[in-house]
Amino acid sequence: MNPIIGPAVPQRARPEILFPLFAPVTALKGVGPRIGTHIERLVGPQIVDLIWHLPSGTVDRRYSPNLIDLEPGRIATLELTVVKHHAPPAANRRIPYRIDCRDDTGEITLVYFHGRSDYLTKTLPEGETRLVSGTAELYDDKLQMTHPDIVAKLTERNSVMRVQPVYPLTEGLSQNVLGKAVSGALERAPALPEWLDPALVAQREWTDWHTALSAAHAPRELLDLEATSAPRMRLAYDELLASQLAIMLVRSHVRRQSGRPITGNGRLRSRVLDALPFEMTGSQKTAIVDIEENMASEHRMLRLLQGDVGSGKTVVALMAMLTAVEAGRQAALMAPTEILARQHYATIAPLAEAAGVPCVLLTGRDKGKARAAILEGLATGDTPLVVGTHALFQSDIAFNDLAVAVVDEQHRFGVHQRLLLAEKGSMVDVLLMTATPIPRTLMLAAYGDLDESQLREKPAGRKPVKTTTASVDRLHDAVAGVQRQLDAGGKVFWVCPLVEESETIDVAAATARYAALRERFGERVGLVHGKMPGKEKDAVMARFADGVAPEIDVLVATTVIEVGVDVPEATVMVIEHAERFGLAQLHQLRGRIGRGEREATCLLLYGHETGQTGRERLRVLRDTDDGFEIAEQDLRLRGAGDVLGTRQSGLPEFRLVSLEAHGDLLAMARDDARLIMDKDPGLESARGDALRTLLYLFERDAAVRYARSG
Ligand code: ADP
Ligand code: MG
């Protein structure tokens, strides 16, 4: 369940027809506790998880020659009569177990290393005929097959001599064992009532669900394995429809809980507008109007405000917050890091002061009496505005009357934290802000028809950053470039990547770079990284950003500066191992420079191992400055899961959908779901009933409860 759109609710009974699929995998024949554990690790604990595990390859076992015609090296299914077993002497384990076999045209020996005599005499009794499938080779001019893939009775011909699906495996599972488990699961899959619009099924030339599922597990050729094959498209569409419908059911439930309309008198906002040294851009004005409209309505606001770093989101958010204050209520802005919270506070505090509105900053660093005083102000309502970090989620924090929560870079908050946020006020209007433009496709998948404002215009006076890419071999050129900038009075960010596995190693790399640059440039080089105590970090940042003596001109940093304070004099950014970053992240980093009068340069250095695609990715940044374009490219080149880190981002994890391949189905599924919500929000028609089954099939149980009659 997506934590932003709704809470988890207790499970309601799933339809009986699905029971066979929601048993544990160990209910299948041939799956004991040990294999069950492996399967659970690979796909999940229930039988339904197995039916979603689609093949990644095929093995064609239809070639069935006489021995005299057999092409060595090719997978063949042979009909062999067992002639004689040759068990190795018990003392010598290195000699294999051999079984002589023949057909009417020739002879072949089956070879088993460490073969178990009891098992082999049972499966291949002397004098009997069996189907043996595997790859035969010539050895000293004699045919031999080592460890056949399949030995079966002649009655099993149909299940053996076919194109067999090959499944992705995990350690401890063999193709045979997993293949049997999947077949067993498929046998339990019932025919289900059609939940799709028959016109759509006909137009796409799809089959019913059960047929599509069977076909997806029975590929005949490589094309059948493609995400765009008809059976896989149908299954993906089912999953998308389930997800969109679930989102809409929950959202409409949330919307029906009417909120308190919030309208201000404009008194505070006009004071702030007067105090601003600039004119709002067109897209800022539009966003503000849209937000005010949401707040004034009966329904709860859930709006995403997207815009590049520096596009002016903070002032837009402030307008929303002040609207709440004008209505006598409170507003909070939450940021995922302390530096980011401070930066927002630095923007907001002077403007709030100009409007005469008390505003506080709350971070994890506030302790004891200072913290108690802040909490007091929030609890009484004397402090209407607060900017803070995760500290705002803590359980002892209570608001007098929280009306608006602005959440910045929300994908960086953990799921748990966002759940806590939702509990801080009833019917709080939520404004999500992000500088990492979420591609349209992902947005839709995650939130359905979430309201959205985009700040695409850059505030007047911003110049694009000149971006170049080069191999790390050109490091000396980079250093020379830094020298030139310093001579001209500029400041330089030098970014070393943070690789999640080991912060210690990253810090070591940054520290080494710091030492090297210090040899060259002396005292004017500084270092910040995530492991430094907050106070020390602040001190270094102040020396770099505000020119506190002794001044720093070159700041070596791990990605903590991604959200660092504005430094208009910074004209250069060097990013080492740029290939390790996401494009959106690089774009955001780059947004730290180019804020001043002079032209700024960003140099992306990539490592030796960077392949063609990696370099192509970086070139996207060189060629465009449009964050939205960059986000789409990032999705195209990396895949959805990587763009935001699916797990942390709260984006849905699909079983059958690949947003790259099935992106166009998503909009269809959304329209379809909307139509259903218009016509049959209670899911009471025959199709509605089938749709309930669909929701349960994809474990969107909670959403079913929100169907109006439920
Ligand atoms: P974001 O939060 O989108 O990164 P900010 O809101 O922090 O951007 O704005 C960045 C800087 O630009 C701030 O100093 C802000 O005062 C300034 N700014 C905002 N809107 C405008 C505008 N319309 N014209 C000029 N400067 C602006
Ligand atoms: Mg900002």
Side-chain angles (χ1 to χ4, degrees), residues 169 242 278 327 390:
L169 294 176
F278 50 78
H390 310 86

Side-chain angles (χ1 to χ4, degrees), residues 494-498 506 509-511 513 556-559 574-576 581:
W494 191 295
V495 183
C496 301
L498 195 72
D506 297 325
T511 310
R513 177 62 62 219
V556 179
T558 53
T559 37
V574 180
I575 304 179
E576 279 190 67
F581 293 90

Side-chain angles (χ1 to χ4, degrees), residues 278-281 284 308-315 459 462 595:
F278 50 78
E279 172 85 1
M280 294 276 191
T281 64
Q284 280 173 318
D308 274 0
V309 169
S311 60
K313 294 182 295 296
T314 313
V315 277
R462 294 275 154 74
R595 302 221 167 180

Side-chain angles (χ1 to χ4, degrees), residues 86 125 258 444 471:
H86 304 279
S258 49
L444 208 53
S471 151

Side-chain angles (χ1 to χ4, degrees), residues 310 313-314 340 343-344:
K313 294 182 295 296
T314 313
L340 195 49
Q343 187 189 330
H344 283 303

